[in-house]
């Protein structure tokens, strides 16, 4: 009988130990996952960063797009199409909303960029949503302008790969600005440019 009780106690002790180990492992996994999700970039604003940085984009524009057909696959095949871009300021000048309209291959597409200027950090955050996903971007790009060139970054996942995303606005010629997007799989050492837009003012 005593041996039986000892065996039961040993079994119970083993179960408790395994449970505690599993819980600790689960907690560590959750912490790592949380850390991964909350990974942030150390982005500093330029000394000239201002809520007026996007003023050049107000109005309506014709947009010529060149989009890489396949990203991060060593593709050199580009798709070209035209679109319209409408932008207006909001939030007393500390934000703006851009509507992007295209009809590529007979399929209507609408996108929306929401840009917000943080008065404390002097940084812009740019959120994107479109008719393909209808879900607000959870990983907005962040950055600022310097000498007419705006660079905005975010960590993201593409095809199960961790990537660094770059939105670049070239407003050195404000009547013909250019936008481009690039991905990096090596933390910005090299970039693949996958979408380029050239704008011409309509009004």
């Amino acid at each position: 009988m005593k041996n039986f009780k000892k065996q039961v106690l040993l079994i119970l002790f083993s179960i408790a130990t395994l449970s505690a180990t599993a819980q600790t492992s689960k907690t560590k996994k959750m912490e790592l996952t949380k850390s991964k999700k909350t990974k942030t970039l150390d982005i500093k604003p330029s000394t000239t960063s201002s809520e007026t940085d996007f003023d050049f984009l107000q109005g309506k524009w014709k947009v010529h797009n060149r989009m890489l057909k396949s990203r991060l696959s060593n593709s050199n095949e580009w798709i070209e199409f035209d679109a319209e871009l409408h932008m207006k300021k909001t939030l007393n000048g500390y934000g703006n909303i851009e509507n992007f309209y295209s009809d590529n291959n007979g399929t209507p597409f609408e996108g929306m960029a929401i840009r917000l200027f943080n008065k404390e950090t002097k940084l812009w955050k740019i959120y994107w949503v479109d008719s393909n996903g209808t879900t607000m971007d959870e990983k907005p790009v962040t950055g600022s302008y310097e000498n007419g060139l705006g660079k905005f970054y975010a960590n993201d996942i593409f095809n199960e790969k961790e990537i660094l995303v770059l939105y670049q606005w070239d407003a050195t010629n404000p009547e013909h600005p250019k936008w481009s997007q690039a991905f990096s799989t090596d933390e910005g050492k090299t970039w693949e440019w996958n979408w380029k837009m050239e704008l011409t003012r309509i009004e």
Side-chain angles (χ1 to χ4, degrees):
M1 188 68 176
K2 288 182 179 180
N3 288 335
F4 176 75
K5 286 182 178 180
K6 285 182 179 179
Q7 288 177 354
V8 171
L9 288 172
L10 283 171
I11 292 170
L12 290 174
F13 177 76
S14 298
I15 292 172
T17 303
L18 287 171
S19 178
T21 303
Q23 187 63 36
T24 301
S25 176
K26 184 178 179 182
T27 302
K28 286 182 178 179
K29 186 176 180 181
M30 288 175 64
E31 287 175 353
L32 288 171
T33 304
K34 184 178 180 182
S35 176
K36 188 174 181 180
K37 286 184 177 180
T38 56
K39 182 179 178 182
T40 57
L41 296 168
D42 185 20
I43 300 173
K44 305 295 185 185
S46 70
T47 56
T48 58
S49 185
S50 164
E51 71 274 14
T52 64
D53 285 333
F54 279 99
D55 282 7
F56 72 91
L57 197 56
Q58 291 183 89
K60 295 183 179 180
W61 302 81
K62 179 182 177 181
V63 184
H64 183 69
N65 295 264
R66 294 185 72 242
M67 185 185 295
L68 202 59
K69 187 173 182 180
S70 178
R71 299 172 182 175
L72 299 181
S73 61
N74 297 315
S75 172
N76 289 314
E77 187 175 356
W78 293 83
I79 300 169
E80 299 194 30
F81 62 97
D82 291 326
E84 271 198 27
L85 185 156
H86 304 172
M87 193 278 252
K88 63 180 180 180
K89 296 176 72 172
T90 187
L91 300 176
N92 292 329
Y94 289 100
N96 60 72
I97 297 174
E98 168 197 310
N99 294 98
F100 181 90
Y101 307 98
S102 74
D103 191 8
N104 189 20
N105 293 326
T107 303
F109 174 86
E110 182 176 348
M112 178 185 291
I114 300 170
R115 306 184 183 94
L116 302 173
F117 182 77
N118 188 311
K119 291 184 280 186
E120 295 182 1
T121 66
K122 303 296 181 183
L123 289 169
W124 285 94
K125 281 191 181 293
I126 304 175
Y127 300 81
W128 177 258
V129 62
D130 61 49
S131 54
N132 286 339
T134 64
T135 302
M136 182 65 73
D137 190 356
E138 295 181 359
K139 298 177 180 178
V141 292
T142 303
S144 63
Y145 274 85
E146 187 169 17
N147 298 322
L149 195 65
K151 293 180 179 288
F152 309 89
Y153 301 90
N155 285 314
D156 209 339
I157 303 292
F158 181 78
N159 287 346
E160 299 184 353
K161 293 181 182 177
E162 292 188 0
I163 62 169
L164 183 61
V165 179
L166 166 61
Y167 284 9
Q168 179 172 283
W169 273 103
D170 183 347
T172 52
N173 181 353
E175 288 304 310
H176 291 283
K178 299 176 181 179
W179 176 89
S180 49
Q181 175 181 267
F183 291 171
S184 173
T185 57
D186 54 15
E187 298 183 340
K189 295 182 181 69
T190 59
W191 295 94
E192 178 190 81
W193 296 93
N194 55 58
W195 192 352
K196 300 179 180 181
M197 303 193 313
E198 295 187 4
L199 283 66
T200 302
R201 184 177 291 280
I202 299 173
E203 62 180 61

